[in-house]
Amino acid sequence: MAEESTVELTYCAGWDPQARKCVGAMSVERARKRDSAGDPYAVLLTAGAQPRALLQIDWGRHYLGLFLFDEHGRRDRAYDYRELEPGLLHLRQYEQWRYASADESEFPERGWHFTLTAQPDTDRANVELDHDGLFQTTHAIPERHRTLRRAPFGDWTAYADGPMLGFKRSAGDVTLVPARHKEDQGHREAVTPLWKAPSGLRPRNLNALFTPGSRFSDTELGVAIVTEPEPAGMLRLPTGAVIAADPGTLYSSDEPFTVMVPAGNYPVLIAGMRWESEAWNETTAAMVRIHDKPTASWELAVRPGQDIRLLGDGEFYGFGVDSGMGAFLDASGRDVLAAAYEQRQQGDDAWDHDTALEAADPATGTNLIAYSSGRGDGSYPVWIGRTADGEVTCLVADMLILHDMKPLPPTAPDTAVFRTSTPTGGSVRPEPKPADPESTAEFLAGVAADLEAMKEQFGRR
C-alpha cells in the first residue's frame, strides 16, 4: 500500500475554523454510539499533517455535511446532504469558494462563491455565482449526482474518496487509520459541537402573541405590549382542508396544508400589539382555534411536496403576500371566494384594512377571513399546534414581528416543543443509482465552470 494514501481519522465534537483544528476529540467507540443514537459528531480526515476533509454528521436531523480543504487548511468546497429516504442521501446544496491569496480568511463576504441548490424529484437545480455581481440561472443535474448511499459507520471514503482527498488515482485505495489523540475528558458528559445541522425556522412566543400584557423588547423601537386578541368571526371549513394565502391573489397553486382538521366552524382571532413609546399598533398573528385544549407541540404547516428536512437555517415554507393581506379559507371554496373577495373589495362599503374582513359564498357555504399581514408583503409561516395526544388545537399565521424580540416579564415562556413531521411516502419510484463521489465532484465542478463561462459571456455583451 502506498504510504501517501494513508489517512488519519479524528473523531471529535467539531472544527475550530480560527485555530484550524478539531476540538473535543473522542474515541471511535464514543463516536459510534453517537452515530447510532442520532447525536451530532464530526470526523476529520488528515493526510500529510494537512486536513483533507471534514464530515459533520447528525442523523437525528437527517444531515450529513462534507467539507473539503485547500492546501492552506481552509474549507473550499461544501456538500449538504439530507437523508429523505432510509439509506439514501439527497444533495441539497453544494458550495465552492476561491481564495484570492494564501492569507485570505475563510468564506470571505466578497469573493468568488458558487452555490448549487437542488430539490428532490427534479433534474433542475438553481445555480448562482457571486463574483463581481450575482449571476443566477438553472442547470440540469442528473439523479445519480443528486443522491448518495448512506455508508456504514467508519466507511468515510464512501463520501470522499482518494482523488477528492488530494491523492492521485494511481495511489491505490485509501487506508484509514486512527489518529493519535486522547479523548477530551471535558466533552465526556455532553458534547457541545462548534456546529449544528442546518434546520428551518423554529416558532417562538406563539402563546404569548395571544396573551394580553405580554411584553417584548426591540433594540430600535422599545417595548411592545401584546393587546387583547380581536375576534374576527367564524371560519367555515366544510372539508377541513385549510388554505392560508393572500386573498387578493388566490390561485390554483394555493394548495391546502397536508394536515387537515375536523370539518366545522371555528373562531378566528387576530393578535395585535402596541408600542409603549410609539403611536401605532401592529397585527402580529392570526389564529384559527380548533380546540381550547393546551398546546403541547408546534409544527410547521406544509403543502404537498414540501419537506422541512430540506430547509436551511432560518428558512421556512410560508404563504406569499402581495397585497398586504392574509386569509384563512377552506380549499373547497378557493375559486369562488377569490371572486367574492374581489367583489367585496370593489363594493361601496368602505373597509378599514386594520380590521378583519369576511368574504362569503352562500352557494357553497364557505367563507374566508382576511386580515392585515403584519408589516405588509412577504412570506409568512403557519404553525400547527397539537395537544399531547396529537389533536390539532389551532393554526397560527405568524407575522414574525415579535419572533426575534426579547421577552420581558410578565411574559410566560412557551413550553410547547417543536415537532419535525416526516412526509408520508408517495408513489413508488425507481431506485436511483448514485454515482461515485469523485464523478459527482467532477460534475459539480464542471457546472461551476460552465456558469463562470456563461457569466463572462453575458458580461461581454
Short mmCIF file of all heavy atoms in Angstrom, two decimals, residues 206-246:
data_model
loop_
_atom_site.label_atom_id
_atom_site.label_comp_id
_atom_site.label_asym_id
_atom_site.label_seq_id
_atom_site.Cartn_x
_atom_site.Cartn_y
_atom_site.Cartn_z
N LEU A 206 -45.34 31.88 20.56
CA LEU A 206 -46.66 31.85 19.92
C LEU A 206 -47.79 32.02 20.94
O LEU A 206 -48.77 32.72 20.66
CB LEU A 206 -46.84 30.54 19.14
CG LEU A 206 -45.90 30.36 17.94
CD1 LEU A 206 -46.28 29.10 17.16
CD2 LEU A 206 -45.94 31.57 17.02
N ASN A 207 -47.68 31.37 22.09
CA ASN A 207 -48.72 31.55 23.11
C ASN A 207 -48.77 32.99 23.59
O ASN A 207 -49.85 33.56 23.82
CB ASN A 207 -48.47 30.62 24.30
CG ASN A 207 -48.78 29.17 23.97
OD1 ASN A 207 -49.58 28.89 23.09
ND2 ASN A 207 -48.14 28.25 24.67
N ALA A 208 -47.61 33.62 23.71
CA ALA A 208 -47.56 35.00 24.20
C ALA A 208 -48.20 35.97 23.22
O ALA A 208 -48.70 37.03 23.64
CB ALA A 208 -46.11 35.41 24.45
N LEU A 209 -48.23 35.64 21.94
CA LEU A 209 -48.85 36.53 20.96
C LEU A 209 -50.33 36.75 21.25
O LEU A 209 -50.90 37.77 20.86
CB LEU A 209 -48.71 35.94 19.55
CG LEU A 209 -47.29 35.82 18.98
CD1 LEU A 209 -47.35 35.23 17.58
CD2 LEU A 209 -46.60 37.16 18.97
N PHE A 210 -50.95 35.78 21.93
CA PHE A 210 -52.38 35.87 22.21
C PHE A 210 -52.65 36.03 23.71
O PHE A 210 -53.77 35.81 24.17
CB PHE A 210 -53.08 34.61 21.68
CG PHE A 210 -53.00 34.50 20.18
CD1 PHE A 210 -51.92 33.88 19.58
CD2 PHE A 210 -53.99 35.03 19.37
CE1 PHE A 210 -51.83 33.79 18.19
CE2 PHE A 210 -53.90 34.95 17.98
CZ PHE A 210 -52.83 34.32 17.40
N THR A 211 -51.61 36.43 24.46
CA THR A 211 -51.74 36.63 25.90
C THR A 211 -51.59 38.12 26.21
O THR A 211 -50.47 38.65 26.19
CB THR A 211 -50.68 35.84 26.67
OG1 THR A 211 -50.76 34.45 26.31
CG2 THR A 211 -50.89 35.98 28.17
N PRO A 212 -52.70 38.83 26.47
CA PRO A 212 -52.61 40.28 26.73
C PRO A 212 -51.66 40.59 27.89
O PRO A 212 -51.63 39.87 28.88
CB PRO A 212 -54.05 40.66 27.07
CG PRO A 212 -54.89 39.58 26.48
CD PRO A 212 -54.08 38.33 26.54
N GLY A 213 -50.88 41.64 27.71
CA GLY A 213 -49.94 42.04 28.74
C GLY A 213 -48.55 41.50 28.56
O GLY A 213 -47.61 41.96 29.24
N SER A 214 -48.37 40.51 27.67
CA SER A 214 -47.02 40.03 27.38
C SER A 214 -46.20 41.18 26.80
O SER A 214 -46.72 42.01 26.05
CB SER A 214 -47.07 38.85 26.41
OG SER A 214 -47.72 37.75 26.98
N ARG A 215 -44.93 41.21 27.15
CA ARG A 215 -44.09 42.35 26.75
C ARG A 215 -42.81 41.85 26.09
O ARG A 215 -42.26 40.83 26.46
CB ARG A 215 -43.75 43.20 27.98
CG ARG A 215 -44.96 43.75 28.69
CD ARG A 215 -44.63 44.33 30.06
NE ARG A 215 -43.89 45.59 29.95
CZ ARG A 215 -42.64 45.76 30.33
NH1 ARG A 215 -41.96 44.75 30.85
NH2 ARG A 215 -42.05 46.94 30.22
N PHE A 216 -42.36 42.63 25.08
CA PHE A 216 -41.16 42.28 24.34
C PHE A 216 -40.33 43.53 24.12
O PHE A 216 -40.87 44.64 24.03
CB PHE A 216 -41.52 41.65 22.99
CG PHE A 216 -42.23 40.34 23.10
CD1 PHE A 216 -43.61 40.28 23.26
CD2 PHE A 216 -41.52 39.15 23.05
CE1 PHE A 216 -44.26 39.08 23.37
CE2 PHE A 216 -42.16 37.94 23.17
CZ PHE A 216 -43.54 37.89 23.33
N SER A 217 -39.02 43.32 24.03
CA SER A 217 -38.11 44.44 23.85
C SER A 217 -37.48 44.41 22.46
O SER A 217 -36.96 43.38 22.02
CB SER A 217 -37.00 44.38 24.91
OG SER A 217 -36.04 45.38 24.68
N ASP A 218 -37.55 45.54 21.77
CA ASP A 218 -36.91 45.71 20.47
C ASP A 218 -35.81 46.76 20.60
O ASP A 218 -36.00 47.81 21.23
CB ASP A 218 -37.94 46.16 19.43
CG ASP A 218 -37.32 46.35 18.05
OD1 ASP A 218 -37.16 45.34 17.35
OD2 ASP A 218 -37.01 47.50 17.69
N THR A 219 -34.64 46.49 20.00
CA THR A 219 -33.49 47.38 20.19
C THR A 219 -33.73 48.76 19.60
O THR A 219 -33.13 49.74 20.05
CB THR A 219 -32.24 46.77 19.56
OG1 THR A 219 -32.51 46.46 18.19
CG2 THR A 219 -31.84 45.49 20.29
N GLU A 220 -34.60 48.88 18.60
CA GLU A 220 -34.81 50.16 17.95
C GLU A 220 -36.10 50.85 18.39
O GLU A 220 -36.12 52.07 18.59
CB GLU A 220 -34.84 49.97 16.43
CG GLU A 220 -33.52 49.51 15.85
CD GLU A 220 -33.57 49.39 14.33
OE1 GLU A 220 -34.64 49.68 13.75
OE2 GLU A 220 -32.55 49.01 13.73
N LEU A 221 -37.17 50.09 18.55
CA LEU A 221 -38.49 50.70 18.80
C LEU A 221 -38.93 50.64 20.25
O LEU A 221 -39.98 51.18 20.60
CB LEU A 221 -39.54 50.04 17.91
CG LEU A 221 -39.32 50.25 16.39
CD1 LEU A 221 -40.33 49.45 15.60
CD2 LEU A 221 -39.42 51.73 16.04
N GLY A 222 -38.16 49.99 21.09
CA GLY A 222 -38.51 49.97 22.51
C GLY A 222 -39.32 48.75 22.92
O GLY A 222 -39.04 47.64 22.48
N VAL A 223 -40.33 48.95 23.74
CA VAL A 223 -41.11 47.87 24.33
C VAL A 223 -42.43 47.70 23.60
O VAL A 223 -43.16 48.68 23.36
CB VAL A 223 -41.36 48.14 25.83
CG1 VAL A 223 -42.27 47.06 26.42
CG2 VAL A 223 -40.03 48.18 26.58
N ALA A 224 -42.73 46.45 23.25
CA ALA A 224 -44.01 46.10 22.62
C ALA A 224 -44.88 45.39 23.64
O ALA A 224 -44.41 44.52 24.38
CB ALA A 224 -43.79 45.19 21.42
N ILE A 225 -46.15 45.77 23.71
CA ILE A 225 -47.10 45.19 24.67
C ILE A 225 -48.22 44.52 23.90
O ILE A 225 -48.88 45.15 23.05
CB ILE A 225 -47.66 46.26 25.61
CG1 ILE A 225 -46.52 46.98 26.35
CG2 ILE A 225 -48.64 45.63 26.60
CD1 ILE A 225 -46.99 48.14 27.19
N VAL A 226 -48.44 43.24 24.16
CA VAL A 226 -49.49 42.48 23.48
C VAL A 226 -50.85 42.94 23.98
O VAL A 226 -51.09 43.06 25.18
CB VAL A 226 -49.31 40.97 23.72
CG1 VAL A 226 -50.47 40.17 23.12
CG2 VAL A 226 -47.98 40.50 23.13
N THR A 227 -51.74 43.20 23.04
CA THR A 227 -53.10 43.65 23.36
C THR A 227 -54.08 42.48 23.30
O THR A 227 -53.72 41.37 22.90
CB THR A 227 -53.53 44.75 22.39
OG1 THR A 227 -53.42 44.28 21.04
CG2 THR A 227 -52.64 45.99 22.55
N GLU A 228 -55.32 42.75 23.66
CA GLU A 228 -56.36 41.71 23.65
C GLU A 228 -56.62 41.26 22.22
O GLU A 228 -56.79 42.07 21.31
CB GLU A 228 -57.66 42.28 24.25
CG GLU A 228 -58.75 41.25 24.46
CD GLU A 228 -58.48 40.35 25.65
OE1 GLU A 228 -57.84 40.82 26.62
OE2 GLU A 228 -58.94 39.18 25.62
N PRO A 229 -56.61 39.94 21.96
CA PRO A 229 -56.90 39.47 20.60
C PRO A 229 -58.29 39.90 20.15
O PRO A 229 -59.23 39.93 20.94
CB PRO A 229 -56.80 37.95 20.72
CG PRO A 229 -55.99 37.70 21.95
CD PRO A 229 -56.31 38.83 22.88
N GLU A 230 -58.41 40.23 18.86
CA GLU A 230 -59.68 40.68 18.30
C GLU A 230 -60.39 39.51 17.62
O GLU A 230 -59.84 38.87 16.74
CB GLU A 230 -59.44 41.78 17.28
CG GLU A 230 -58.87 43.07 17.86
CD GLU A 230 -59.91 43.84 18.67
OE1 GLU A 230 -61.13 43.60 18.45
OE2 GLU A 230 -59.52 44.65 19.51
N PRO A 231 -61.65 39.22 18.02
CA PRO A 231 -62.43 38.19 17.31
C PRO A 231 -62.69 38.65 15.88
O PRO A 231 -63.05 39.79 15.63
CB PRO A 231 -63.72 38.09 18.11
CG PRO A 231 -63.41 38.74 19.43
CD PRO A 231 -62.39 39.79 19.16
N ALA A 232 -62.50 37.74 14.92
CA ALA A 232 -62.68 38.09 13.52
C ALA A 232 -63.81 37.32 12.86
O ALA A 232 -63.99 37.42 11.64
CB ALA A 232 -61.38 37.83 12.76
N GLY A 233 -64.57 36.55 13.63
CA GLY A 233 -65.68 35.80 13.07
C GLY A 233 -65.41 34.31 13.06
O GLY A 233 -64.36 33.83 13.51
N MET A 234 -66.37 33.58 12.52
CA MET A 234 -66.29 32.13 12.45
C MET A 234 -65.89 31.71 11.05
O MET A 234 -66.49 32.12 10.05
CB MET A 234 -67.63 31.50 12.82
CG MET A 234 -68.11 31.82 14.23
SD MET A 234 -67.03 31.13 15.52
CE MET A 234 -67.38 29.38 15.33
N LEU A 235 -64.86 30.88 10.97
CA LEU A 235 -64.39 30.36 9.69
C LEU A 235 -65.08 29.03 9.43
O LEU A 235 -65.01 28.11 10.25
CB LEU A 235 -62.88 30.18 9.71
CG LEU A 235 -62.23 29.67 8.43
CD1 LEU A 235 -62.38 30.69 7.30
CD2 LEU A 235 -60.77 29.32 8.66
N ARG A 236 -65.74 28.93 8.28
CA ARG A 236 -66.46 27.71 7.94
C ARG A 236 -65.56 26.81 7.10
O ARG A 236 -65.12 27.19 6.00
CB ARG A 236 -67.75 28.06 7.18
CG ARG A 236 -68.71 28.89 8.03
CD ARG A 236 -70.09 28.96 7.40
NE ARG A 236 -70.12 29.82 6.23
CZ ARG A 236 -70.28 31.14 6.26
NH1 ARG A 236 -70.41 31.76 7.44
NH2 ARG A 236 -70.31 31.85 5.15
N LEU A 237 -65.29 25.63 7.64
CA LEU A 237 -64.41 24.66 6.99
C LEU A 237 -65.19 23.38 6.72
O LEU A 237 -65.11 22.41 7.49
CB LEU A 237 -63.19 24.38 7.86
CG LEU A 237 -62.29 25.57 8.22
CD1 LEU A 237 -61.20 25.15 9.20
CD2 LEU A 237 -61.66 26.15 6.95
N PRO A 238 -65.94 23.33 5.63
CA PRO A 238 -66.76 22.14 5.37
C PRO A 238 -65.97 20.88 5.07
O PRO A 238 -66.48 19.76 5.26
CB PRO A 238 -67.61 22.56 4.15
CG PRO A 238 -66.87 23.69 3.53
CD PRO A 238 -66.18 24.39 4.64
N THR A 239 -64.73 21.00 4.59
CA THR A 239 -63.91 19.80 4.34
C THR A 239 -62.77 19.67 5.33
O THR A 239 -62.19 18.58 5.45
CB THR A 239 -63.32 19.83 2.92
OG1 THR A 239 -62.32 20.87 2.83
CG2 THR A 239 -64.40 20.08 1.87
N GLY A 240 -62.41 20.74 6.02
CA GLY A 240 -61.29 20.69 6.96
C GLY A 240 -59.94 20.82 6.28
O GLY A 240 -58.90 20.72 6.95
N ALA A 241 -59.92 21.08 4.97
CA ALA A 241 -58.67 21.32 4.25
C ALA A 241 -58.41 22.82 4.24
O ALA A 241 -59.11 23.57 3.56
CB ALA A 241 -58.75 20.77 2.82
N VAL A 242 -57.40 23.26 5.00
CA VAL A 242 -57.20 24.68 5.25
C VAL A 242 -56.16 25.26 4.29
O VAL A 242 -55.10 24.67 4.06
CB VAL A 242 -56.74 24.92 6.70
CG1 VAL A 242 -56.58 26.41 6.99
CG2 VAL A 242 -57.73 24.29 7.68
N ILE A 243 -56.48 26.44 3.78
CA ILE A 243 -55.55 27.21 2.96
C ILE A 243 -55.24 28.51 3.68
O ILE A 243 -56.15 29.15 4.23
CB ILE A 243 -56.14 27.52 1.57
CG1 ILE A 243 -56.21 26.24 0.72
CG2 ILE A 243 -55.33 28.58 0.84
CD1 ILE A 243 -56.86 26.46 -0.65
N ALA A 244 -53.98 28.91 3.66
CA ALA A 244 -53.58 30.25 4.08
C ALA A 244 -52.96 30.91 2.85
O ALA A 244 -52.07 30.33 2.22
CB ALA A 244 -52.58 30.21 5.22
N ALA A 245 -53.44 32.10 2.52
CA ALA A 245 -52.98 32.73 1.27
C ALA A 245 -53.32 34.20 1.29
O ALA A 245 -54.04 34.69 2.17
CB ALA A 245 -53.61 32.04 0.06
N ASP A 246 -52.80 34.90 0.29
CA ASP A 246 -53.19 36.29 0.04
C ASP A 246 -54.55 36.25 -0.64
O ASP A 246 -54.68 35.68 -1.74
CB ASP A 246 -52.16 36.94 -0.87
CG ASP A 246 -52.43 38.42 -1.13
OD1 ASP A 246 -53.62 38.82 -1.16
OD2 ASP A 246 -51.46 39.18 -1.32
#
